[in-house]
Structures are given as structure tokens and as C-alpha cells.
Amino acid sequence: MRSMNRTMTAAGGVLLAAMLGTTSTMTATAAPAAPAAPHRTAAADCRPLAEASTQARAVVDAACSQLGVPYSWGGGSIHGPTYGKDYPGGGPGSHDSQVKGFDCSHLVQYAAWQGAGILLPEGSWNQAQWQGATARFGRGQGTAPLQPGDLVFWAKNPGNLGTVHHIAVYLGGGKMVEARESGTRVMVSTVRLNAEYAGAIRITGGGGQPAPGTKRYVTWGTGVNLRAQPSTRAEVKARLNGPTPVDVQCQKHAEPVEAEGHRNDAWSYLPAYGAWISNIFIDDPKAWLDVPTCDF
């Protein structure tokens, strides 16, 4: 879910979309009272337990940085814990809208993005079927071929990845870090090689790292126009059909964009496209990003 310091009303989002030639849907909800601070487990309990690439280690480290954060059904984003949703089946998750934390797939999504700039889809079943995987491992192989940073998952029908219901980050040595279920916290566990274990995928090793001199962000919305100049009147050079990783070189103050009393004149340059994007459509808590100011 998009988390920004420039939240707008739904009406404001419609007006802004019209100005920039985009279509998007935005919602806003009031945050419940924050839960008690989580108990943190020693960081040494969560780390790569075998040799791994720098990229894979970064994924593990990102997941381990959330050790002790509460499980919250539907909670979490690429930026960190969020309030979840009340689990419709009741039980310990019936009040997860009041718990700030992660569910299993959002912890994995956070680790992949923060650790390696890899944008995984929503939902454990979609992540298990992700087309960007660099290797796949079947349930019969167990953990023998796995490396730290791989994603392990479980399904109601292990032969059908569309039924995957749980996913975690492998640490090595038969261990994993997971957001397991409501009422628990992000923890280190032994990989459960039970009847529902469905296999694993490797998400690292495929390249795609941010280009030198850039920082990777992700966009939000659909039909987002990239412009030849930092202006809504400039030529459209490309259009992003959905959330997309983009490598930002620098930013500058240019044409202000206004909607429902909100104003932002920041635009970012994307060298891969040779184009500019309004920072309004960069999914980051900051309106002015952590990149240099453009000198052109």
C-alpha cells in the first residue's frame, strides 16, 4: 500500500490523474492506536547460515531486520510494517487491523525490495509463480540445493502453485525467517518439510541491479506518463502501465503540480527512459527523494 507524506483525498487523486494523464485509485484510512513495542530477538539468531552472494545476503539481512515485528494479516509494504486487516476467519487475527506488522508475503516483498531492489508481486501464490525467478526447486529436493535468500513456500496442493498460502526467506542450514501467523512475531524457524511443502525459488542472481549513480524506487498508479521535460505539457516519452521499478539519477524543482490543496514541484530524471517523472508518482514516504539535485 502506498505510504507518502503527501497523502491526498480520492478527489484529489482524480484531479491529479487528469492533470498528468494518468488513472489511479487511492484510499485513505485512519490508523488505529499503535500496539506495544515488539520484543526484539537477538540479531545473531537471524543471518545467512551458508555462503551467499552479496545480493542474497542483502535480502536475508533486510528480512532479519524485522525480527520481532508482529504478524498482521494483510500488513506490511516495501517500506515496512503497516496495519493489517481483521482476519475474516476470526481467532487471533480478528483484530489485526489494530496490529502494525507484516504478513508472510509482505515480509518477503519488503526483503526483496529493500535488500536487492527486486519488486515482487502481491500474494504468496503470485510470488511462488514469479516469472523473474532465476531457479526453481521442487518439493522432492528438500533444502539440499537451497541458498540463503531463496524463497520457500507451502500450498494446500503442492502440485498447484496457485494454492500457495505461505512463503518465507531461507537462511541456510534448514532454517528460515518468516511472518508465520497472527499472534506471533517475525521469527527464525526450521523449514517445515511437511505434506504442504511445495518447493522454493531463487530470486537473486539475475542482474537488474540499479545502474551506477542511481537509486531504485518504485512507481504507483497506472498509465503514468514519463515526460521529455519536467512539465505536464512536455512530450510523453513512455507510459508505465502499473507499479514499476525505476532508477532515479537526480531530481529538480520544476513545474508545480497541484491538487486539492497539495503542491509538489519535484521531478525525477530516469536515465533508462531519458525522461522525467513527477515525484508524486514515486512510491516513497518522502516527497523530495534521497538523490542529488540535477544540474541540467
Side-chain angles (χ1 to χ4, degrees), residues 6-75:
R6 51 190 184 281
T7 305
M8 289 177 282
T9 63
V14 172
L15 177 58
L16 182 59
M19 294 173 62
L20 297 188
T22 67
T23 57
S24 61
T25 301
M26 299 177 65
T27 59
T29 56
H39 170 71
R40 295 285 179 177
T41 306
D45 294 338
C46 192
R47 56 188 172 80
L49 299 177
E51 289 298 318
S53 68
T54 300
Q55 191 183 37
R57 293 183 68 89
V59 170
V60 169
D61 289 345
C64 290
S65 73
Q66 301 304 302
L67 207 65
V69 171
Y71 180 98
S72 185
W73 189 67

Side-chain angles (χ1 to χ4, degrees), residues 169-188:
V169 178
Y170 189 64
L171 299 176
K175 299 291 185 179
M176 62 183 176
V177 55
E178 62 175 337
R180 186 168 183 177
E181 59 188 352
S182 295
T184 68
R185 299 175 184 273
V186 175
M187 66 181 79
V188 173

Side-chain angles (χ1 to χ4, degrees), residues 71-158:
Y71 180 98
S72 185
W73 189 67
S77 76
I78 61 172
H79 301 302
T82 68
Y83 291 97
K85 302 176 182 179
D86 292 339
Y87 183 64
S94 60
H95 301 292
D96 276 1
S97 63
Q98 301 174 47
V99 178
K100 190 174 184 180
F102 287 100
D103 64 14
C104 66
S105 64
H106 284 108
L107 175 65
V108 164
Q109 190 181 50
Y110 171 87
W113 179 256
Q114 293 293 333
I118 296 170
L119 182 62
L120 294 175
E122 295 280 334
S124 57
W125 57 94
N126 289 323
Q127 292 168 350
Q129 299 175 83
W130 185 53
Q131 295 301 306
T134 58
R136 292 186 173 274
F137 308 95
R139 59 178 273 109
Q141 295 175 272
T143 62
L146 303 187
Q147 298 176 5
D150 291 348
L151 307 183
V152 289
F153 40 82
W154 289 259
K156 292 181 180 178
N157 175 4

Side-chain angles (χ1 to χ4, degrees), residues 263-289:
R263 181 183 179 92
N264 188 348
D265 67 352
W267 290 73
S268 288
Y269 183 69
L270 312 180
Y273 295 91
W276 297 82
I277 183 173
S278 167
N279 281 15
I280 288 287
F281 286 92
I282 299 289
D283 183 6
D284 190 85
K286 298 179 180 177
W288 186 252
L289 306 177

